[in-house]
Amino acid sequence: MSLDYMIQYLDFTYLLLPIDIYQAVASIGSSAPIEACMRPEDAAAIRDLLLFRDAREDTFAELVRAGFLQRFPPGVTLINESEPADFLYVVVEGLVELFATSGDRETTMSIVEPVGTFILAAVLNDQVYLQSARTLEKAQILMIPAEKVREALGTDPAFTHAVVTELARGYRRAIKEVKNQKLRTGAERLANWLLRQAVPSDTEARVRLRFEKRVLSSLLGMTPENLSRALSALKPHGVVILGPEILIQDQAALLRFANPSPLVDGPE
Amino acid sequence: MSLDYMIQYLDFTYLLLPIDIYQAVASIGSSAPIEACMRPEDAAAIRDLLLFRDAREDTFAELVRAGFLQRFPPGVTLINESEPADFLYVVVEGLVELFATSGDRETTMSIVEPVGTFILAAVLNDQVYLQSARTLEKAQILMIPAEKVREALGTDPAFTHAVVTELARGYRRAIKEVKNQKLRTGAERLANWLLRQAVPSDTEARVRLRFEKRVLSSLLGMTPENLSRALSALKPHGVVILGPEILIQDQAALLRFANPSPLVDGPE
DNA sequence: CGTAAGATTGAGTCCGATCAAGGCGAGTGG
DNA sequence: CCACTCGCCTTGATCGGACTCAATCTTACG
């Protein structure tokens, strides 16, 4: 058992003991300044987030100072829906899956990449989380106490304005997702997702999956089996599957099939 | 042809001539003070909206003063998706359907009752509408210029805070709708919708549809035919259909089938 | 090299959509 | 007052898409 694995295991145990989490995390947070744990470029990336970019220097400093920077191994559940929103989360490194359940069914709601935040709405209204979150790979997460975020809201107008903008963005993204689900078939959702992921290129685009296909299938609202079939169905439309790598050889053909719209797939 | 109908018809023509709308509406707005056109209880209801309740008196007055109060006949398209967001809308009376399209498909996104607002997010970020809106019945609508809303955002902290809360609410409602769509079957969505509409009662609840069933079917993400079948499928679970009136005779049974959750069906 | 987990493929079933026909009700005109 | 008509709702039959179950293949990793 390697030391690396030991560390991961220890982190993991913190999460299995909810009562002890806060002390454990807090002690880590207080013993080592956030800035010391973070690579400078990561700190700069957080500062450059739309949510923080226009905030006053002292607002930002206070939020980060009060936050806990923590590393997690893959597969760790960070939050559970129906729990009160204690922290605003910032993904500094790695991948986080937001998912939701109802009865015994579960679906992936979104994938958060660095540098992105999640569950801002629950934090602001001091409500329970509507979604759960788990790490998909080794991740570095900044957790900012909800109380601090709400405080900053009252003291820094520029930050408040950024929160409004970010909330409105999230709102609109969610509306688009409803449209995506209600107006499209599975194969169309997949085609549009691929086009959105693809690095723009004149000739051909390549999409490299950073997570399992079963996660993608759930994100798109279908079963893993169906995703396989949907991918096959896209072959006649210029798509080539090479394991976790997907080539879009004929972008025009895929666009014709996908029929994307900025009112559904738009970046914001 | 009655005078009443004439007036409706004239209103309608304004909407068919987009270039002339603004002048027409503006002239109405300036010739008659809003307060004169509105019943006092309606004005009070608007003031009592979560969005306006905590706003300063002068902020509210300015927003309403700059707004246009307009009556519309049923079936009038108020806004079209992809158009720039020029107004924040408040439904004072009647019913408004928000819907969205993609290609030749269309789906109902939500129904707005008095007193409610719609498309706040687009207004705040100065973006295009993601949804279209049409009246389902004779309606009275207050249209507040987007510019005024954004101005108020910078001058009235209490209003800003209300906007944050309202946005977060809308965001969470949209997330819930995604969960509703991805995690439930059509019949389950129907059952939960009925329970949500039903006036709480110890014995039996009654739901009276205020709009066509085809609209409801679209709202729930199914075809009209399927809604009929889904309603029939709920009969063994204590539901009786009497045309546009639906009785829930056995609430316990329907609850057992619907399996509602505050994280999907909650009021906020 | 062996195991385990994920991905794919096939077969059967279910849910929902489409197409087509008939019933009901409101509004219209004779 | 009554037939007519036009939507809307319903019902049935058929079709297609998506899910389930099961088996096989691939891959990652010990």
Side-chain angles (χ1 to χ4, degrees), chain A residues 185-186 221-223 225-226 229:
Chain A
T185 67
M222 49 176 119
T223 58
E225 298 95 322
N226 233 325
R229 287 185 248 271

Side-chain angles (χ1 to χ4, degrees), chain B residues 109-172:
Chain B
M109 299 291 286
S110 61
I111 309 286
V112 186
E113 302 180 18
V115 179
T117 64
F118 57 93
I119 43 169
L120 178 59
V123 164
L124 291 173
N125 277 12
D126 197 10
Q127 291 171 310
V128 299
Y129 297 123
L130 290 180
Q131 302 164 254
S132 305
R134 69 167 78 96
T135 54
L136 285 178
E137 46 182 53
K138 199 153 67 82
Q140 195 172 14
I141 311 281
L142 177 63
M143 301 159 64
I144 303 175
E147 188 54 42
K148 296 288 177 185
V149 177
R150 290 193 291 268
E151 277 172 21
L153 209 61
T155 58
D156 187 339
F159 177 66
T160 307
H161 188 260
V163 165
V164 168
T165 305
E166 182 69 12
L167 266 184
R169 257 172 54 97
Y171 189 175
R172 287 167 65 87

Side-chain angles (χ1 to χ4, degrees), chain A residues 206-240:
Chain A
R206 190 171 64 247
V207 178
R208 159 155 225 100
L209 292 182
R210 293 185 58 192
F211 43 84
E212 294 169 0
K213 282 183 180 166
R214 61 187 316 126
V215 175
L216 176 59
S217 71
S218 181
L219 177 67
L220 296 174
M222 49 176 119
T223 58
E225 298 95 322
N226 233 325
L227 173 61
S228 274
R229 287 185 248 271
L231 274 169
S232 300
L234 291 187
K235 281 177 186 169
H237 300 282
V239 172
V240 178

Side-chain angles (χ1 to χ4, degrees), chain B residues 46 49 51-52 59-60 62-69 85-90 117 123 129 141-150 159:
Chain B
I46 296 175
L49 277 172
L51 190 59
F52 297 124
T59 306
F60 180 71
E62 171 62 13
L63 287 175
V64 172
R65 196 200 54 76
F68 309 122
L69 187 66
D86 293 322
F87 294 98
L88 173 66
Y89 287 76
V90 182
T117 64
V123 164
Y129 297 123
I141 311 281
L142 177 63
M143 301 159 64
I144 303 175
E147 188 54 42
K148 296 288 177 185
V149 177
R150 290 193 291 268
F159 177 66

Side-chain angles (χ1 to χ4, degrees), chain A residues 81 100 130, chain B residues 175-183 263:
Chain A
E81 48 184 320
L130 289 180
Chain B
I175 293 288
K176 288 178 182 179
E177 186 51 34
V178 176
K179 293 170 68 171
N180 193 29
Q181 285 294 326
K182 289 178 78 175
L183 292 170
L263 301 184

